[in-house]
Amino acid sequence: MQSRASLASWYALLVLSVATLYAVIDRQVIILLSQQLKADLHLSDTQIGSLQGFGAVLFASIAAFPLGWLADRMDRRVLLSLCVIVWSIGIATCGLATSYPSLLASVALLGAGEAGLSIIVFALIPQLFAEKQRMTANFIYYAASVVGGGVGIALAGLIIDHIGVISHLVPTGEFTRETWRLVFFAVALPGPVLAIAIVFLRLNSQPAPAPISTATAIELPELNFRAYLAANWKAISAVFVPFGLVILGASAVFTWLPIILMRRFEMTPGAVGAGLGTAMVLGSVGGLVLAGTAAKTMKSRWGVMTPVRVSQIGYSLYALIIPFYLFARTPTEIFVIATIQMGLGIGGNSLLPTVVQDLAPPQLLGRFFAISTVSSTLFGVISPVMVGLLSDHVFGPESGLQMASLSVAFPAVVIGATIYWLADRHIARTIAKVRAPDTSPPLPPGELAGDDRWPPSTARKEA
């Protein structure tokens, strides 16, 4: 019975990984079709950038918190299936767009549906795997989502290049004359099938969590959260601001790199997808292996600061590789640089969850990961728009798009890495404070609920 249950759990993880790959393909199709959308719908680079920024990322951040609330109050399989249906409708209606506003609305629907993906999946994994298997399952899903980015762009390119195989089977009409519309329709088709597969996933029975009192669940954490932020804002800012700036830099490069390749070298979407897909897969795998090896090797020397050191080094090297795009003269050279950059970025970010866990007490971790999400979202929203504005109004959309991309990416990552290094002692002090054992006696409930100081041990001794 145990083996059958385990097989069902691994099958469920496979389905959830496929759902992630499907989401990646949907996003990459929009990027790879940008040139055709620009020509047929008369879009500017600023508008193309806003599709990925305001359209996808902003609406995803707005939907994330309500979806997280629903994930704790209804069957997560049903909720995730509904999300798949919503983003499938979003990608299908992209094929019906006749103007920038209608395309933006469709992309917003796509982003809102995809917003619940990682939230629900990470909530489902504990319902699928026993405690001893959860870490393995989490790592496999993370690796699959990272590598899936490369696989997704390659598959998206193949679909675009070979859509002509079925175009003659579709009746000619207002919304089927342009082949890019057929691409959106074709990509939307697997959505309902995947949604049905998710609904019927088998969950393992899990014990209900022990109830907690109202004073502990609401009053105390809220007070301590504010006090903790006030007492440790330097360390907290020194982690989340660099993370956001690196996300901004990565988005400035990889959101626009497919378009740059198509404009500069007149490559087809399929060729771009295959090249960048290979670069992203090789870079992601290499980055994960490199970061894991570095952390294991240097832990005896760096101790609890090991995840921070790996991230700092990864971010610094990530910044140094960006200017090399200026010297690339062939697509192959760009793909090589992208592979190295992807590896350094994934390596630098792979241990961020551990940094966050070391930076905050257990009772505040949920809100700290929320800060991480908001940080990446805010910076991710503005990056594509900044590049589009510089391309349209400073460098020129034809030859200046690459300069616009690098002009946003390079200073952002340099500033982020510099902040990370300069605040090293603040981060170390906060981590040491969190890890220090609290040996003071507990306070009575009434006194504890009214305490607004940090750390609690200091307040207790004063009391």
Side-chain angles (χ1 to χ4, degrees):
M1 188 69 179
Q2 179 65 29
S3 62
R4 290 178 59 190
S6 176
L7 182 60
S9 297
W10 291 114
Y11 165 75
L13 188 65
L14 174 62
V15 172
L16 296 175
S17 299
V18 171
T20 302
L21 175 61
Y22 180 49
V24 170
I25 292 174
D26 288 352
R27 292 192 297 269
Q28 297 295 349
V29 159
I30 296 175
I31 296 175
L32 292 176
L33 287 174
S34 294
Q35 283 293 90
Q36 298 177 44
L37 294 173
K38 178 182 177 70
D40 289 349
L41 299 183
H42 309 291
L43 305 181
S44 67
D45 283 343
T46 303
Q47 290 174 322
I48 291 174
S50 69
L51 292 176
Q52 297 298 319
F54 293 116
V57 181
L58 181 60
F59 281 88
S61 65
I62 294 173
F65 289 102
L67 288 172
W69 183 86
L70 287 171
D72 290 333
R73 287 162 176 81
M74 64 179 290
D75 190 321
R76 290 165 181 148
R77 297 167 298 179
V78 174
L79 181 60
L80 183 55
S81 297
L82 292 174
C83 287
V84 174
I85 293 296
V86 168
W87 89 57
S88 298
I89 293 174
I91 198 68
T93 55
C94 285
L96 302 176
T98 57
S99 62
Y100 169 72
S102 60
L103 183 60
L104 180 64
S106 298
V107 174
L109 187 64
L110 169 68
E114 291 181 351
L117 181 59
S118 62
I119 297 172
I120 301 170
V121 168
F122 282 117
L124 272 173
I125 285 177
Q127 294 183 267
L128 295 168
F129 294 91
E131 181 68 30
K132 62 181 181 180
Q133 295 176 313
R134 287 178 194 171
M135 183 177 296
T136 301
N138 282 324
F139 181 80
I140 290 174
Y141 177 75
Y142 175 77
S145 62
V146 169
V147 174
V151 176
I153 192 170
L155 290 176
L158 284 174
I159 293 171
I160 294 171
D161 273 6
H162 294 87
I163 193 65
V165 174
I166 64 169
S167 61
H168 67 282
L169 302 175
V170 181
T172 302
E174 181 180 357
F175 294 109
T176 57
R177 284 195 298 267
E178 298 92 354
T179 56
W180 60 264
R181 297 185 186 275
L182 296 179
V183 172
F184 284 124
F185 298 150
V187 171
L189 290 177
V193 177
L194 185 58
I196 294 172
I198 293 172
V199 166
F200 288 101
L201 294 179
R202 183 191 302 175
L203 303 180
N204 294 332
S205 58
Q206 299 291 331
I212 32 183
S213 65
T214 304
T216 303
I218 300 175
E219 205 168 354
L220 173 62
E222 190 62 34
L223 292 171
N224 277 349
F225 182 60
R226 295 196 301 267
Y228 188 84
L229 288 178
N232 299 278
W233 67 269
K234 292 181 180 179
I236 295 166
S237 301
V239 171
F240 290 118
V241 171
F243 171 63
L245 287 171
V246 171
I247 292 295
L248 188 153
S251 180
V253 173
F254 286 98
T255 297
W256 292 96
L257 201 52
I259 304 172
I260 292 170
L261 287 164
M262 286 186 285
R263 288 185 186 178
R264 182 176 174 185
F265 301 103
E266 298 183 352
M267 298 178 66
T268 66
V272 171
L276 282 181
T278 302
M280 293 170 70
V281 170
L282 294 178
S284 299
V285 173
L288 289 171
V289 172
L290 188 61
T293 303
K296 184 177 180 180
T297 304
M298 302 303 295
K299 188 173 183 180
S300 60
R301 179 178 178 181
W302 292 334
V304 296
M305 290 293 286
T306 300
V308 178
R309 291 282 181 272
V310 173
S311 294
Q312 289 170 329
I313 294 172
Y315 288 177
S316 300
L317 295 176
Y318 190 92
L320 293 177
I321 202 67
I322 293 175
F324 281 85
Y325 283 108
L326 293 173
F327 305 100
R329 295 292 178 264
T330 66
T332 301
E333 293 175 355
I334 290 180
F335 293 143
V336 171
I337 297 170
T339 301
I340 299 172
Q341 188 183 17
M342 177 61 66
L344 294 172
I346 293 298
N349 278 335
S350 63
L351 296 179
L352 183 71
T354 304
V355 176
V356 175
Q357 290 167 353
D358 288 341
L359 200 65
Q363 67 267 34
L364 304 180
L365 279 178
R367 277 161 285 188
F368 265 72
F369 278 108
I371 293 175
S372 175
T373 301
V374 171
S375 175
S376 62
T377 299
L378 290 177
F379 285 100
V381 164
I382 63 175
S383 175
V385 180
M386 290 174 63
V387 174
L389 285 170
L390 287 174
S391 176
D392 283 337
H393 303 291
V394 178
F395 296 108
E398 295 305 322
S399 59
L401 183 57
Q402 179 171 306
M403 282 300 302
S405 172
L406 302 184
S407 297
V408 172
F410 182 66
V413 181
V414 168
I415 293 171
T418 303
I419 293 173
Y420 212 175
W421 282 106
L422 291 178
D424 190 78
R425 60 190 178 91
H426 298 294
I427 299 171
R429 186 182 300 123
T430 297
I431 290 177
K433 188 188 302 181
V434 171
R435 285 176 170 263
D438 182 12
T439 57
S440 55
L443 284 176
E447 219 173 322
L448 189 63
D451 186 9
D452 193 31
R453 288 169 288 182
W454 184 267
S457 58
T458 304
R460 293 174 184 175
K461 290 174 184 177
E462 292 175 357

